[in-house]
Amino acid sequence: MSDPRDTAKLLSEMNDRSREVFRRVVQAYLDTGGPVGSRTLTRGLSEKVSAATVRNVMQDLEYLGLLDSPHVSAGRVPTNLGLRLFVDSLLEVSPLDDDDRAKLDQTMGSNERDMGTMLEQIGGALSGVTQGASLVLSPKHEAAVKHIDFVSLSPDRALVVLVFTDGHVENRIFTPPRGMTPSAMREAANYLNSMTEGASVGQLLVRFRAELARNRREIDTLAQSLVEQGLAVWENEGEPQERLIVRGRSNLLDEASAEDFERIRSLFDDLERKRDITEFLELTEQGDGVRIFIGAENRLFSLTGSTLVVSPYMNADRKIIGAVGVIGPKRLNYGRIVPIVDYTAQLVGRLLTDTHRAD
């Protein structure tokens, strides 16, 4: 993101006329997506000036790096720096629309108790309201393990159930070693439960391996394999790329021109494969509230010519544990999208707090 001092300096170099011309160019670009000409601007300016005067002002703004000419004879469009100046200094944020609020609030009325499903529903609502692609980075569950069970479902299917100290329960289906008996499963679970105190899933697996290294005879080979395979389904759980819920990809494709299509597809590939999507959360950790990243300001989306509007959400202890955001074209209705993302982040934080209280 550019230094706010840079945009403040640029703003100080502009008089009232150039500020109004600049603001109207940006607003018209956001409304239409096309370049804005001097004759169009003269009809709406508060000060009666000629088209030639407006062209001179636009040339000055272009010299400052705030506007650009797509073609020699065309009007002007804002540069990324121009959009940044507009967002930082001239953006007027609208109150949250009642209809948008109602659509987001509907997700809170669901009887669904699974947190992942609830976050997916919120992501779907956010995408529908903004007509962009929504991102929800779900919180990583970090409570200690209280109890573990292995349950045989069939010769080649078993269930591992984890109960956490905060009351949260998770289960996963996995393929057990061949030849496992219910009694061997109970033995393995008892062995693990003897070392769960204060341990997260990852720490429990480390403790188990350390115990095996010290004394492998206390648990047989089949039980060792059962524990390894049963806990392995959690070992990579919670990694950022698995915690990231993306909804509304088609909205970006609907808005994309032919030349943008490949860049949008590149974005989807990033979202599917990228290992360092923790950047998405790290982007929010420098402070509360909504942040806007335009084009190359965010390395994750720099190839798409897109904008990311993102806000962290917090738990009851005011600790940042996740984030929600919207990806859209650079000509986004920022004044409308910002309060939507802000409200959604508050909604998720409230949902998590209420769920934990209910547990």
Side-chain angles (χ1 to χ4, degrees):
M1 181 178 288
S2 61
D3 191 328
R5 290 172 298 184
D6 294 338
T7 52
K9 183 175 183 295
L10 285 170
L11 196 66
S12 69
E13 295 179 13
M14 299 161 63
N15 57 29
D16 290 343
R17 178 186 294 169
S18 58
R19 288 187 191 188
E20 184 179 6
V21 168
F22 172 71
R23 181 175 57 79
R24 289 184 178 275
V25 169
V26 176
Q27 197 59 64
Y29 167 76
L30 296 180
D31 291 341
T32 67
V36 185
S38 55
R39 291 189 182 280
T40 302
L41 287 176
T42 54
R43 291 194 289 269
L45 290 175
S46 57
E47 181 186 6
K48 295 299 181 183
V49 294
S50 66
T53 299
V54 173
R55 279 196 297 274
N56 290 335
V57 173
M58 293 169 76
Q59 287 174 356
D60 292 340
L61 293 170
E62 188 171 356
Y63 177 77
L64 291 173
L66 300 175
L67 300 182
D68 191 20
S69 305
H71 309 288
V72 175
S73 59
R76 305 302 200 280
V77 297
T79 61
N80 284 355
L81 178 61
L83 286 174
R84 168 52 54 196
L85 175 64
F86 176 81
V87 164
D88 286 347
S89 306
L90 302 173
L91 177 64
E92 296 179 1
V93 176
S94 307
L96 183 64
D97 183 84
D98 289 341
D99 289 341
D100 293 338
R101 184 192 300 271
K103 290 174 183 175
L104 293 169
D105 284 345
Q106 283 177 0
T107 59
M108 295 288 284
S110 170
N111 292 323
E112 178 62 55
R113 296 293 297 160
D114 179 71
M115 181 55 63
T117 302
M118 286 191 285
L119 292 177
E120 287 182 2
Q121 290 174 351
I122 289 175
L126 180 59
S127 170
V129 165
T130 61
Q131 291 300 295
S134 69
L135 306 178
V136 179
L137 189 66
S138 62
K140 187 174 182 178
H141 201 82
E142 296 179 338
V145 177
K146 180 180 180 181
H147 187 78
I148 185 167
D149 272 319
F150 295 107
V151 181
S152 178
L153 301 176
S154 69
D156 62 348
R157 294 173 77 235
L159 190 69
V160 55
V161 182
L162 288 185
V163 180
F164 294 88
T165 53
D166 62 357
H168 184 74
V169 179
E170 291 187 13
N171 56 72
R172 300 285 189 279
I173 293 175
F174 71 104
T175 303
R178 294 181 62 181
M180 285 301 303
T181 63
S183 61
M185 286 189 174
R186 285 194 297 272
E187 176 192 352
N190 290 337
Y191 189 79
L192 274 178
N193 285 323
S194 69
M195 60 182 78
T196 57
E197 185 177 359
S200 65
V201 178
Q203 291 168 337
L204 181 57
L205 194 53
V206 170
R207 287 182 187 179
F208 173 73
R209 289 168 178 164
E211 286 295 317
L212 287 185
R214 282 193 289 269
N215 190 349
R216 288 183 174 272
R217 295 183 181 180
E218 288 188 11
I219 184 168
D220 65 32
T221 304
L222 270 181
Q224 291 176 29
S225 298
L226 175 74
V227 172
E228 288 282 352
Q229 292 177 36
L231 292 188
V233 296
W234 262 282
E235 193 171 23
N236 294 321
E237 286 286 328
E239 291 299 315
Q241 71 278 7
E242 296 191 10
R243 293 163 55 205
L244 191 67
I245 300 166
V246 184
R247 291 292 177 269
R249 291 176 173 87
S250 61
N251 290 333
L252 293 183
L253 293 175
D254 290 343
E255 292 290 326
S257 63
E259 62 184 24
D260 287 336
F261 186 82
E262 283 302 314
R263 290 184 291 179
I264 297 295
R265 194 171 72 173
S266 173
L267 166 64
F268 292 165
D269 290 343
D270 272 348
L271 293 175
E272 293 295 338
R273 297 197 308 258
K274 203 168 182 68
R275 306 297 297 186
D276 57 351
I277 286 181
T278 42
E279 289 178 19
F280 177 54
L281 180 56
E282 289 168 358
L283 292 175
T284 69
E285 291 181 341
Q286 297 178 15
D288 298 352
V290 179
R291 303 187 73 200
I292 299 172
F293 296 86
I294 300 168
E297 291 176 348
N298 175 9
R299 287 180 298 155
L300 185 59
F301 306 122
S302 61
L303 295 179
T304 69
S306 299
T307 286
L308 169 67
V309 182
V310 60
S311 177
Y313 61 84
M314 303 179 184
N315 60 15
D317 298 323
R318 301 293 296 170
K319 176 186 176 184
I320 293 175
I321 56 173
V324 299
V326 170
I327 304 174
K330 287 192 292 186
R331 50 172 295 257
L332 205 61
N333 186 343
Y334 295 95
R336 175 174 175 264
I337 299 299
V338 166
I340 290 174
V341 171
D342 183 45
Y343 183 74
T344 305
Q346 296 176 39
L347 201 65
V348 174
R350 191 162 70 247
L351 175 68
L352 292 171
T353 300
D354 291 347
T355 300
H356 288 157
R357 284 174 181 164
D359 293 337

